[in-house]
PDB file of all heavy atoms in Angstrom:
ATOM      1  N   THR J 485     -37.435 -25.182  87.837  1.00  0.00           N
ATOM      2  CA  THR J 485     -38.774 -25.787  87.460  1.00  0.00           C
ATOM      3  C   THR J 485     -39.402 -26.415  88.727  1.00  0.00           C
ATOM      4  O   THR J 485     -40.555 -26.208  88.997  1.00  0.00           O
ATOM      5  CB  THR J 485     -38.639 -26.946  86.329  1.00  0.00           C
ATOM      6  OG1 THR J 485     -37.973 -26.270  85.255  1.00  0.00           O
ATOM      7  CG2 THR J 485     -39.927 -27.436  86.040  1.00  0.00           C
ATOM      8  N   TYR J 486     -38.552 -27.095  89.496  1.00  0.00           N
ATOM      9  CA  TYR J 486     -38.989 -27.733  90.747  1.00  0.00           C
ATOM     10  C   TYR J 486     -39.397 -26.545  91.731  1.00  0.00           C
ATOM     11  O   TYR J 486     -40.436 -26.740  92.369  1.00  0.00           O
ATOM     12  CB  TYR J 486     -37.883 -28.459  91.329  1.00  0.00           C
ATOM     13  CG  TYR J 486     -38.179 -29.168  92.680  1.00  0.00           C
ATOM     14  CD1 TYR J 486     -39.093 -30.306  92.607  1.00  0.00           C
ATOM     15  CD2 TYR J 486     -37.713 -28.771  93.777  1.00  0.00           C
ATOM     16  CE1 TYR J 486     -39.379 -30.839  93.625  1.00  0.00           C
ATOM     17  CE2 TYR J 486     -38.068 -29.393  94.980  1.00  0.00           C
ATOM     18  CZ  TYR J 486     -38.996 -30.456  95.012  1.00  0.00           C
ATOM     19  OH  TYR J 486     -39.300 -31.068  96.198  1.00  0.00           O
ATOM     20  N   ALA J 487     -38.655 -25.592  91.870  1.00  0.00           N
ATOM     21  CA  ALA J 487     -38.957 -24.545  92.815  1.00  0.00           C
ATOM     22  C   ALA J 487     -40.276 -23.792  92.489  1.00  0.00           C
ATOM     23  O   ALA J 487     -40.934 -23.268  93.432  1.00  0.00           O
ATOM     24  CB  ALA J 487     -37.761 -23.581  92.949  1.00  0.00           C
ATOM     25  N   LEU J 488     -40.615 -23.840  91.277  1.00  0.00           N
ATOM     26  CA  LEU J 488     -41.876 -23.109  90.930  1.00  0.00           C
ATOM     27  C   LEU J 488     -43.016 -23.996  90.886  1.00  0.00           C
ATOM     28  O   LEU J 488     -44.172 -23.475  90.682  1.00  0.00           O
ATOM     29  CB  LEU J 488     -41.678 -22.362  89.608  1.00  0.00           C
ATOM     30  CG  LEU J 488     -40.730 -21.256  89.454  1.00  0.00           C
ATOM     31  CD1 LEU J 488     -40.609 -20.853  87.983  1.00  0.00           C
ATOM     32  CD2 LEU J 488     -41.245 -20.122  90.260  1.00  0.00           C
ATOM     33  N   SER J 489     -42.883 -25.267  90.885  1.00  0.00           N
ATOM     34  CA  SER J 489     -43.926 -26.295  90.583  1.00  0.00           C
ATOM     35  C   SER J 489     -44.873 -26.320  91.750  1.00  0.00           C
ATOM     36  O   SER J 489     -44.714 -25.934  92.860  1.00  0.00           O
ATOM     37  CB  SER J 489     -43.388 -27.681  90.252  1.00  0.00           C
ATOM     38  OG  SER J 489     -42.769 -28.203  91.426  1.00  0.00           O
ATOM     39  N   ALA J 490     -46.087 -26.758  91.435  1.00  0.00           N
ATOM     40  CA  ALA J 490     -47.185 -26.735  92.428  1.00  0.00           C
ATOM     41  C   ALA J 490     -46.850 -27.449  93.690  1.00  0.00           C
ATOM     42  O   ALA J 490     -46.283 -28.537  93.615  1.00  0.00           O
ATOM     43  CB  ALA J 490     -48.471 -27.374  91.698  1.00  0.00           C
ATOM     44  N   GLY J 491     -47.129 -26.801  94.685  1.00  0.00           N
ATOM     45  CA  GLY J 491     -46.835 -27.522  96.078  1.00  0.00           C
ATOM     46  C   GLY J 491     -45.477 -27.085  96.575  1.00  0.00           C
ATOM     47  O   GLY J 491     -45.248 -27.144  97.810  1.00  0.00           O
ATOM     48  N   TYR J 492     -44.501 -26.472  95.815  1.00  0.00           N
ATOM     49  CA  TYR J 492     -43.307 -26.116  96.279  1.00  0.00           C
ATOM     50  C   TYR J 492     -43.003 -24.537  96.139  1.00  0.00           C
ATOM     51  O   TYR J 492     -42.017 -24.080  96.686  1.00  0.00           O
ATOM     52  CB  TYR J 492     -42.241 -26.804  95.614  1.00  0.00           C
ATOM     53  CG  TYR J 492     -42.304 -28.304  95.680  1.00  0.00           C
ATOM     54  CD1 TYR J 492     -42.824 -29.096  94.716  1.00  0.00           C
ATOM     55  CD2 TYR J 492     -41.996 -28.951  96.971  1.00  0.00           C
ATOM     56  CE1 TYR J 492     -43.023 -30.318  94.750  1.00  0.00           C
ATOM     57  CE2 TYR J 492     -42.257 -30.317  97.114  1.00  0.00           C
ATOM     58  CZ  TYR J 492     -42.721 -31.023  96.046  1.00  0.00           C
ATOM     59  OH  TYR J 492     -42.884 -32.434  96.168  1.00  0.00           O
ATOM     60  N   TYR J 493     -43.915 -23.876  95.470  1.00  0.00           N
ATOM     61  CA  TYR J 493     -43.773 -22.386  95.166  1.00  0.00           C
ATOM     62  C   TYR J 493     -43.509 -21.537  96.463  1.00  0.00           C
ATOM     63  O   TYR J 493     -42.625 -20.872  96.471  1.00  0.00           O
ATOM     64  CB  TYR J 493     -45.062 -22.009  94.396  1.00  0.00           C
ATOM     65  CG  TYR J 493     -44.980 -20.598  94.019  1.00  0.00           C
ATOM     66  CD1 TYR J 493     -44.171 -20.105  93.013  1.00  0.00           C
ATOM     67  CD2 TYR J 493     -45.767 -19.539  94.664  1.00  0.00           C
ATOM     68  CE1 TYR J 493     -44.192 -18.773  92.445  1.00  0.00           C
ATOM     69  CE2 TYR J 493     -45.700 -18.358  94.237  1.00  0.00           C
ATOM     70  CZ  TYR J 493     -44.929 -17.865  93.237  1.00  0.00           C
ATOM     71  OH  TYR J 493     -45.012 -16.546  92.870  1.00  0.00           O
ATOM     72  N   ASP J 494     -44.348 -21.846  97.380  1.00  0.00           N
ATOM     73  CA  ASP J 494     -44.346 -21.167  98.662  1.00  0.00           C
ATOM     74  C   ASP J 494     -43.167 -21.327  99.496  1.00  0.00           C
ATOM     75  O   ASP J 494     -42.425 -20.534 100.024  1.00  0.00           O
ATOM     76  CB  ASP J 494     -45.611 -21.257  99.482  1.00  0.00           C
ATOM     77  CG  ASP J 494     -46.775 -20.565  98.845  1.00  0.00           C
ATOM     78  OD1 ASP J 494     -46.561 -19.622  97.992  1.00  0.00           O
ATOM     79  OD2 ASP J 494     -47.974 -20.914  99.262  1.00  0.00           O
ATOM     80  N   ALA J 495     -42.836 -22.662  99.480  1.00  0.00           N
ATOM     81  CA  ALA J 495     -41.757 -23.120 100.432  1.00  0.00           C
ATOM     82  C   ALA J 495     -40.327 -22.625  99.821  1.00  0.00           C
ATOM     83  O   ALA J 495     -39.442 -22.439 100.600  1.00  0.00           O
ATOM     84  CB  ALA J 495     -41.735 -24.705 100.494  1.00  0.00           C
ATOM     85  N   TYR J 496     -40.215 -22.617  98.516  1.00  0.00           N
ATOM     86  CA  TYR J 496     -38.963 -22.239  97.931  1.00  0.00           C
ATOM     87  C   TYR J 496     -38.986 -20.881  97.366  1.00  0.00           C
ATOM     88  O   TYR J 496     -38.321 -20.016  97.774  1.00  0.00           O
ATOM     89  CB  TYR J 496     -38.633 -23.207  96.834  1.00  0.00           C
ATOM     90  CG  TYR J 496     -38.190 -24.620  97.504  1.00  0.00           C
ATOM     91  CD1 TYR J 496     -39.042 -25.743  97.261  1.00  0.00           C
ATOM     92  CD2 TYR J 496     -37.096 -24.815  98.263  1.00  0.00           C
ATOM     93  CE1 TYR J 496     -38.730 -26.980  97.850  1.00  0.00           C
ATOM     94  CE2 TYR J 496     -36.836 -25.966  98.848  1.00  0.00           C
ATOM     95  CZ  TYR J 496     -37.628 -27.131  98.692  1.00  0.00           C
ATOM     96  OH  TYR J 496     -37.332 -28.268  99.166  1.00  0.00           O
ATOM     97  N   TYR J 497     -39.806 -20.583  96.271  1.00  0.00           N
ATOM     98  CA  TYR J 497     -39.731 -19.273  95.640  1.00  0.00           C
ATOM     99  C   TYR J 497     -40.135 -18.226  96.451  1.00  0.00           C
ATOM    100  O   TYR J 497     -39.413 -17.262  96.664  1.00  0.00           O
ATOM    101  CB  TYR J 497     -40.565 -19.388  94.379  1.00  0.00           C
ATOM    102  CG  TYR J 497     -40.441 -18.278  93.589  1.00  0.00           C
ATOM    103  CD1 TYR J 497     -39.202 -17.984  92.807  1.00  0.00           C
ATOM    104  CD2 TYR J 497     -41.315 -17.213  93.587  1.00  0.00           C
ATOM    105  CE1 TYR J 497     -39.064 -16.766  92.158  1.00  0.00           C
ATOM    106  CE2 TYR J 497     -41.276 -15.893  92.817  1.00  0.00           C
ATOM    107  CZ  TYR J 497     -40.067 -15.855  92.010  1.00  0.00           C
ATOM    108  OH  TYR J 497     -39.932 -14.677  91.322  1.00  0.00           O
ATOM    109  N   ILE J 498     -41.299 -18.182  97.120  1.00  0.00           N
ATOM    110  CA  ILE J 498     -41.716 -17.128  97.988  1.00  0.00           C
ATOM    111  C   ILE J 498     -40.812 -16.880  99.207  1.00  0.00           C
ATOM    112  O   ILE J 498     -40.470 -15.825  99.458  1.00  0.00           O
ATOM    113  CB  ILE J 498     -43.206 -17.338  98.368  1.00  0.00           C
ATOM    114  CG1 ILE J 498     -44.148 -17.223  97.176  1.00  0.00           C
ATOM    115  CG2 ILE J 498     -43.645 -16.354  99.588  1.00  0.00           C
ATOM    116  CD1 ILE J 498     -44.118 -15.932  96.575  1.00  0.00           C
ATOM    117  N   LYS J 499     -40.436 -18.131  99.827  1.00  0.00           N
ATOM    118  CA  LYS J 499     -39.517 -18.001 100.834  1.00  0.00           C
ATOM    119  C   LYS J 499     -38.179 -17.389 100.470  1.00  0.00           C
ATOM    120  O   LYS J 499     -37.672 -16.393 101.151  1.00  0.00           O
ATOM    121  CB  LYS J 499     -39.075 -19.466 101.438  1.00  0.00           C
ATOM    122  CG  LYS J 499     -38.277 -19.495 102.587  1.00  0.00           C
ATOM    123  CD  LYS J 499     -39.035 -19.198 103.793  1.00  0.00           C
ATOM    124  CE  LYS J 499     -38.095 -19.088 105.005  1.00  0.00           C
ATOM    125  NZ  LYS J 499     -38.878 -18.891 106.264  1.00  0.00           N
ATOM    126  N   ALA J 500     -37.555 -17.586  99.277  1.00  0.00           N
ATOM    127  CA  ALA J 500     -36.391 -17.055  98.871  1.00  0.00           C
ATOM    128  C   ALA J 500     -36.577 -15.511  98.678  1.00  0.00           C
ATOM    129  O   ALA J 500     -35.675 -14.777  98.837  1.00  0.00           O
ATOM    130  CB  ALA J 500     -35.904 -17.768  97.576  1.00  0.00           C
ATOM    131  N   GLN J 501     -37.783 -15.142  98.101  1.00  0.00           N
ATOM    132  CA  GLN J 501     -37.942 -13.735  97.750  1.00  0.00           C
ATOM    133  C   GLN J 501     -38.154 -12.996  99.155  1.00  0.00           C
ATOM    134  O   GLN J 501     -37.772 -11.854  99.251  1.00  0.00           O
ATOM    135  CB  GLN J 501     -39.368 -13.547  97.128  1.00  0.00           C
ATOM    136  CG  GLN J 501     -39.516 -14.184  95.770  1.00  0.00           C
ATOM    137  CD  GLN J 501     -38.925 -13.267  94.576  1.00  0.00           C
ATOM    138  OE1 GLN J 501     -38.133 -12.626  94.834  1.00  0.00           O
ATOM    139  NE2 GLN J 501     -39.821 -13.265  93.537  1.00  0.00           N
ATOM    140  N   LYS J 502     -38.645 -13.579 100.144  1.00  0.00           N
ATOM    141  CA  LYS J 502     -38.651 -12.976 101.513  1.00  0.00           C
ATOM    142  C   LYS J 502     -37.265 -12.823 102.001  1.00  0.00           C
ATOM    143  O   LYS J 502     -36.851 -11.768 102.709  1.00  0.00           O
ATOM    144  CB  LYS J 502     -39.534 -13.792 102.351  1.00  0.00           C
ATOM    145  CG  LYS J 502     -40.962 -13.670 102.090  1.00  0.00           C
ATOM    146  CD  LYS J 502     -41.856 -14.475 103.074  1.00  0.00           C
ATOM    147  CE  LYS J 502     -43.279 -14.107 102.709  1.00  0.00           C
ATOM    148  NZ  LYS J 502     -44.109 -14.958 103.769  1.00  0.00           N
ATOM    149  N   ILE J 503     -36.436 -13.857 101.936  1.00  0.00           N
ATOM    150  CA  ILE J 503     -35.031 -13.783 102.305  1.00  0.00           C
ATOM    151  C   ILE J 503     -34.342 -12.642 101.625  1.00  0.00           C
ATOM    152  O   ILE J 503     -33.462 -11.971 102.121  1.00  0.00           O
ATOM    153  CB  ILE J 503     -34.366 -15.086 102.101  1.00  0.00           C
ATOM    154  CG1 ILE J 503     -35.059 -16.196 102.775  1.00  0.00           C
ATOM    155  CG2 ILE J 503     -32.800 -15.080 102.463  1.00  0.00           C
ATOM    156  CD1 ILE J 503     -34.715 -16.418 104.347  1.00  0.00           C
ATOM    157  N   ARG J 504     -34.722 -12.630 100.260  1.00  0.00           N
ATOM    158  CA  ARG J 504     -34.060 -11.618  99.489  1.00  0.00           C
ATOM    159  C   ARG J 504     -34.289 -10.139 100.043  1.00  0.00           C
ATOM    160  O   ARG J 504     -33.420  -9.300 100.234  1.00  0.00           O
ATOM    161  CB  ARG J 504     -34.694 -11.541  98.022  1.00  0.00           C
ATOM    162  CG  ARG J 504     -33.983 -10.593  97.175  1.00  0.00           C
ATOM    163  CD  ARG J 504     -34.477 -10.896  95.699  1.00  0.00           C
ATOM    164  NE  ARG J 504     -33.727  -9.942  94.801  1.00  0.00           N
ATOM    165  CZ  ARG J 504     -33.876  -9.899  93.568  1.00  0.00           C
ATOM    166  NH1 ARG J 504     -34.804 -10.584  92.929  1.00  0.00           N
ATOM    167  NH2 ARG J 504     -33.159  -9.096  92.820  1.00  0.00           N
ATOM    168  N   ARG J 505     -35.529  -9.923 100.522  1.00  0.00           N
ATOM    169  CA  ARG J 505     -35.698  -8.686 101.220  1.00  0.00           C
ATOM    170  C   ARG J 505     -35.031  -8.481 102.479  1.00  0.00           C
ATOM    171  O   ARG J 505     -34.570  -7.415 102.741  1.00  0.00           O
ATOM    172  CB  ARG J 505     -37.202  -8.497 101.380  1.00  0.00           C
ATOM    173  CG  ARG J 505     -37.648  -7.012 101.879  1.00  0.00           C
ATOM    174  CD  ARG J 505     -39.186  -6.697 101.846  1.00  0.00           C
ATOM    175  NE  ARG J 505     -39.673  -6.790 100.518  1.00  0.00           N
ATOM    176  CZ  ARG J 505     -39.702  -5.938  99.606  1.00  0.00           C
ATOM    177  NH1 ARG J 505     -39.097  -4.734  99.901  1.00  0.00           N
ATOM    178  NH2 ARG J 505     -40.394  -6.117  98.468  1.00  0.00           N
ATOM    179  N   LEU J 506     -34.860  -9.546 103.246  1.00  0.00           N
ATOM    180  CA  LEU J 506     -34.170  -9.367 104.589  1.00  0.00           C
ATOM    181  C   LEU J 506     -32.755  -9.064 104.171  1.00  0.00           C
ATOM    182  O   LEU J 506     -32.084  -8.155 104.882  1.00  0.00           O
ATOM    183  CB  LEU J 506     -34.202 -10.699 105.292  1.00  0.00           C
ATOM    184  CG  LEU J 506     -35.565 -11.184 105.923  1.00  0.00           C
ATOM    185  CD1 LEU J 506     -35.444 -12.444 106.634  1.00  0.00           C
ATOM    186  CD2 LEU J 506     -36.157 -10.020 106.788  1.00  0.00           C
TER     187      LEU J 506
END
Side-chain angles (χ1 to χ4, degrees):
Chain J
T485 305
Y486 180 74
L488 291 174
S489 65
Y492 301 103
Y493 180 76
D494 286 340
Y496 292 109
Y497 185 75
I498 293 295
K499 184 77 184 182
Q501 299 270 42
K502 290 181 170 184
I503 300 280
R504 183 176 189 178
R505 186 167 303 275
L506 293 181

